[in-house]
Amino acid sequence: MDLPEGLDWVRGSPAGRTWLAALPTWLNECAERWSLRVGPPFRQAYASLALPAHLPDGTAAVLKLQYPDEESRYEADALAHWDGDAAIRLLARDPARRALLLERCQPGTPLHDLPPDRALDVVIGLLPRLWRPAGAPFTPLAQEAAGWIDRMPRAWERAARPYERRLLDAALDLLTGLASSQGEQVLVNQDLHAGNILAADALTADRGPWLAIDPKPLTGEREFSVVPIVRGPELGHSPAAVRHRLHRLSTELGLDPERVRGWTIGHTLAWSLADDTVFPEKIEVVRWLLDAD
């Protein structure tokens, strides 16, 4: 298959190679099951194979074959929970193949194409619609944070200590305190950055014009939900830009800025290492927020 370059990393593990070997069969089976006309894969994929498709009646859709990671396990459940409100609609699913049939955002322009403050306007309008009470099957943020706390010191050692010990200690302390003292639990998305919100002008006006895609859902307090926007480089990567996003989102959404700051430090450092890969821009965000005082 002509895979996007962003999926090259899956070739590095036995599980990834097994998944790649199964993709052609699963793709053909899903296309037949749902009577789809399927086009070449979207090139910007990094964690799943996503392809434009058309239903028999001509409706534009997306066929998504997920890499079987834990963070996206309940993506379909989150989309079903939102039922098209502020997020793309799930049309069908095949759990055995981790396949999702989704409506397609058109024109599909990413939010980061807007000027930064106009993009924040969109986020401020979108997030309260996504904050819905939820329980099973979604993983609680406290449970996920316990996993980060457990894994981070070992990952730091394996990666040859790529950042200062003070960053690790601060993140562990913050995560421990925040996880046990949360407010009301709602459905949150730990990957809602400005590339995962797309223009959907062609869909009904009461749902658009911007919709969330690709959720990695948890249940947790609202303060956690703005972390990907605060840290993400899509709307500007500088100390001033990060602090501005934190301040504006906290103020206009009625969130506790210190809890937003703490979650951003902890989650960003937890996601700064992936196997043998170090993400320096995430480490920079942690330094900027810790040194803000």
Side-chain angles (χ1 to χ4, degrees), residues 131 141 178 182-184 186 188 220-228 230 250 253-261 263-264:
W131 289 336
L141 173 57
L178 290 166
Q182 296 180 66
E184 181 186 9
V186 296
V188 295
E221 65 176 358
R222 291 168 173 81
E223 279 78 2
F224 179 80
S225 64
V226 301
V227 167
V230 171
S250 299
L253 288 169
L255 304 175
D256 182 332
E258 280 305 304
R259 295 187 71 86
V260 172
R261 175 177 173 267
W263 281 122
T264 305

Side-chain angles (χ1 to χ4, degrees), residues 2-9 42-46:
D2 179 24
L3 289 175
E5 292 181 1
L7 284 173
D8 283 347
W9 63 271
F42 292 110
R43 303 313 301 178
Q44 64 269 34
Y46 296 98

